[in-house]
Amino acid sequence: MAVIALFRLARAGYVMAREGVFGIVDLPDLPSAQRYALRLVRLLERRSARDKAADKRLSDALTRLGPSYVKLGQFLATRPDVVGRDMASDLTALQDQIPPFPMDAARKVVEEQLGKPVESLFETFGLPVAAASIAQVHPAQVRDRDGHLRDVAVKVLRPGVAERFRRDLRSFYLIARLMERFHPPSRRLRPLAIVDTLARSVELEMDFRLEAAGLSEMGENTADDPGFRVPLVDWPRTAKCVLTMEWISGRKLSDVDGLAADGHDLQAVGANIIQSFLRHAVRDGFFHADMHQGNLFLEPDGTLVAVDFGITGRLGKTERRFLAEILFGFITRDYRRVAEVHFEAGYVPSDQDVDVFAQAIRAIGEPIHGHDASEISMARLLTQLLEVTELFNMRTQPQLIMLQKTMVVVEGVARTLNPHLDMWRTAEPVIRSWIERNLGPAGRLQDAAGGLTALGRLAADLPLMADRAQRLSGELERMAEKGLRFDAETAEAIGRAEARHSRSGRLALWVIAALLAIAVFG
């Protein structure tokens, strides 16, 4: 089995070499043995590949290697802690460019999964309108109980894709084991755990019943939310490999000019995107983790509709309280408290110095105070926080990385509609409700319902909690009204730290490339 996986790695290394992927490696950053191997591998590079941009070389190589590698690239785009922020940004643009599979194969999957002929299930069943690495989507029509025709979208799993992913995952596991064995610095990133997460993510994504359940859960969570909804699931026509749902005829958010021509208030739409995401993440602890423009539609009445729930994220109560305390600490400049929260949550090892950690947190927090609120990104702040924690051996927290990455995408989408979006003022109503519920007396009362010990803590902490919630509400209002103070020297220091992080993140990716090269010649 290992020999077969090694052979597949050799093939992957050859394809990457031909597409010029190894030509963008910063050789001085690698050990001498790997530098030598890469120089040999680059002899295979096609001349045409040398004229391509770095992200184009990698995306072309992953596309040639097939659906599993495309999915790997898209997954790594959600992990800037692994590949670096710049490479993650490049991989975010990686799109599935997979030809559709034949209609006969699609009809066969539908009939096998639903146990009836296509003609008895659907009034019409059209040619695919979208094809990706895992599935493709067909337009169709059904009749409701009143006999009226209703448009639906039918998502059909690509035949054989599950077995293909299982084979390629064996190669990914081999890479991870080699990294953990021969590159000790990468162990903090937990390569095996990353592949485990990818494997689990793909497994869940290929069971459309789970995506349907995610749509259903999000629909219940947002039933009373203004201006947001998800497609309704057609459960009788849904199975493991087939998902039938309401057809959405709104305009994609990628068509900004079209949205403006339709008469929509783009500033209001941008605000709705931010507030909807924050409600899902901090109120419900369940959010769409792939909210790019292609997965968001706007209906004529201005309702935002999210589709494709193959990738979702969850935050437990601990993580949501953690983020609430982080926000409180940064806004009130209580950096010691921000540091303590990290230790209390177990994110930073207890053998680290909390005061030194608080000093590092201050280097992140001070630049935002006094700066114009429209220029401050919540996602950027969280990104910097996760970068600094690396210096203190904080282990990767996948749930926080997923939140941070999704927040980057969501902010980007909102600011394509409104470049001057004020994140703090927009988020304030949602955050205020969250803070009051989680940090105020009501939240403590909920915690106390479990027992007398909690009730005793409540009695002691109640005045403090009430004061902190009141202070935070005031700080949020003042932030929205006055902005924050910016310290140029501190910002420059943060910029240098970010540059170092990007280099180290890219190095982690090139270690993988080097191991593939060694597999070719080893």
Side-chain angles (χ1 to χ4, degrees):
M1 195 70 69
V3 174
I4 296 175
L6 191 61
F7 175 79
R8 292 198 181 100
L9 281 183
R11 176 183 174 275
Y14 175 77
V15 171
M16 288 188 177
R18 293 288 290 165
E19 294 298 329
V21 172
F22 300 124
I24 55 179
V25 179
D26 192 359
L27 292 178
D29 285 343
L30 296 175
S32 58
Q34 293 176 7
R35 287 202 303 270
Y36 177 72
L38 283 176
R39 288 193 180 99
L40 290 177
V41 170
R42 290 185 63 178
L43 296 176
L44 301 173
E45 188 175 294
R46 293 189 304 169
R47 288 186 179 181
S48 59
R50 297 169 186 172
D51 298 328
K52 296 180 183 178
D55 60 326
K56 180 64 173 173
R57 296 186 193 186
L58 184 57
S59 63
D60 284 353
L62 294 175
T63 300
R64 279 193 59 193
L65 286 169
S68 304
Y69 284 84
V70 170
K71 187 58 63 178
L72 173 64
Q74 293 171 334
F75 176 77
L76 289 176
T78 70
R79 297 301 303 270
D81 59 317
V82 175
V83 298
R85 209 167 46 258
D86 294 339
M87 186 59 68
S89 178
D90 292 339
L91 289 172
T92 297
L94 181 65
Q95 299 295 320
D96 290 319
Q97 299 175 356
I98 310 297
F101 54 88
M103 277 288 287
D104 288 346
R107 293 171 65 93
K108 182 178 179 181
V109 172
V110 172
E111 291 177 350
E112 288 179 349
Q113 288 288 303
L114 300 180
K116 295 180 180 179
V118 169
E119 287 76 15
S120 67
L121 292 164
F122 304 98
E123 294 296 318
T124 63
F125 189 83
L127 294 171
V129 294
S133 58
I134 287 181
Q136 64 188 32
V137 176
H138 296 256
Q141 289 182 314
V142 298
R143 286 197 183 276
D144 59 24
R145 294 179 178 178
D146 297 327
H148 299 123
L149 281 176
R150 179 166 51 87
D151 293 329
V152 295
V154 185
K155 186 174 181 179
V156 183
L157 187 71
R158 185 175 289 273
V161 71
E163 179 57 33
R164 175 70 180 271
F165 269 100
R166 278 193 288 270
R167 291 199 307 265
D168 288 338
L169 279 170
R170 296 188 192 110
S171 300
F172 300 159
Y173 274 114
L174 180 58
I175 294 176
R177 292 188 186 97
L178 290 172
M179 287 184 65
E180 293 201 351
R181 180 174 180 181
F182 296 110
H183 190 254
S186 70
R187 292 171 189 164
R188 188 193 64 81
L189 297 172
R190 299 189 286 179
L192 279 172
I194 290 172
V195 180
D196 283 337
T197 303
L198 170 63
R200 183 60 174 162
S201 173
V202 171
E203 181 182 5
L204 295 175
E205 195 171 351
M206 288 191 295
D207 189 335
F208 294 160
R209 295 169 300 186
L210 298 178
E211 181 175 350
L215 282 164
S216 176
E217 181 178 353
M218 179 69 75
E220 291 181 2
N221 290 344
T222 60
D224 297 325
D225 288 358
F228 180 90
R229 73 181 189 91
V230 296
L232 296 173
V233 176
D234 187 332
W235 286 103
R237 297 176 180 86
T238 292
K240 182 176 182 180
C241 302
V242 177
L243 169 59
T244 304
M245 63 191 133
E246 172 189 3
W247 181 270
I248 302 300
S249 57
R251 190 182 293 276
K252 282 189 177 182
L253 261 63
S254 54
D255 186 3
V256 178
D257 292 337
L259 294 172
D262 291 341
H264 291 294
D265 183 344
L266 299 188
Q267 293 186 6
V269 176
N272 187 21
I273 294 169
I274 296 298
Q275 291 180 346
S276 294
F277 169 72
L278 287 175
R279 286 190 191 99
H280 307 160
V282 304
R283 180 193 66 192
D284 307 325
F286 178 60
F287 59 93
H288 191 312
D290 197 20
M291 283 184 68
H292 59 72
Q293 289 99 324
N295 285 338
L296 295 172
F297 291 79
L298 199 67
E299 295 184 314
D301 66 354
T303 298
L304 184 68
V305 185
V307 301
D308 193 354
F309 275 68
I311 305 176
T312 57
R314 290 189 183 274
L315 294 175
K317 190 173 183 180
T318 298
E319 285 78 27
R320 283 181 276 168
R321 283 185 173 274
F322 167 76
L323 290 171
E325 292 270 29
I326 292 293
L327 177 63
F328 181 90
F330 273 115
I331 292 175
T332 61
R333 302 174 70 185
D334 187 352
Y335 306 118
R336 169 77 185 200
R337 180 56 191 157
V338 175
E340 289 173 348
V341 169
H342 279 78
F343 282 80
E344 291 171 5
Y347 293 155
V348 176
S350 58
D351 60 354
Q352 297 293 317
D353 190 316
V354 66
D355 291 316
V356 176
F357 186 55
Q359 181 181 354
I361 298 299
R362 178 179 291 272
I364 299 171
E366 282 303 292
I368 72 172
H369 286 280
H371 201 33
D372 184 81
S374 66
E375 299 177 21
I376 299 170
S377 164
M378 288 183 179
R380 183 178 176 84
L381 186 147
L382 185 55
T383 299
Q384 293 175 347
L385 178 63
L386 293 173
E387 289 169 359
V388 166
T389 56
E390 294 176 6
L391 302 174
F392 295 85
N393 296 323
M394 173 175 162
R395 300 195 73 186
T396 298
Q397 301 296 324
Q399 69 277 22
L400 298 182
I401 294 291
M402 180 71 79
L403 175 75
Q404 176 264 328
K405 179 60 182 178
T406 307
M407 195 177 291
V408 169
V409 173
V410 170
E411 281 191 10
V413 173
R415 282 185 164 143
T416 60
L417 301 172
N418 178 14
H420 303 291
L421 180 74
D422 184 333
M423 279 293 301
W424 298 96
R425 185 184 296 275
T426 302
E428 191 271 339
V430 180
I431 294 173
R432 179 194 295 275
S433 173
W434 178 36
I435 291 295
E436 291 174 349
R437 185 168 57 250
N438 287 277
L439 292 183
R444 301 297 286 183
L445 280 169
Q446 290 178 359
D447 289 345
L452 293 176
T453 301
L455 186 58
R457 289 198 301 269
L458 169 67
D461 295 347
L462 191 57
L464 176 61
M465 289 295 102
D467 178 65
R468 291 172 68 189
Q470 184 176 2
R471 285 171 53 210
L472 181 56
S473 294
E475 291 288 348
L476 284 170
E477 289 179 349
R478 286 190 290 275
M479 176 183 295
E481 293 173 358
K482 299 181 179 179
L484 306 164
R485 179 177 53 78
F486 181 76
D487 186 299
E489 182 178 351
T490 309
E492 184 178 353
I494 291 294
R496 290 194 297 269
E498 289 181 346
R500 287 195 298 272
H501 172 74
S502 293
R503 288 194 295 271
S504 65
R506 287 194 297 271
L507 177 58
L509 178 64
W510 301 134
V511 169
I512 298 176
L515 290 171
L516 287 171
I518 293 170
V520 175
F521 290 96

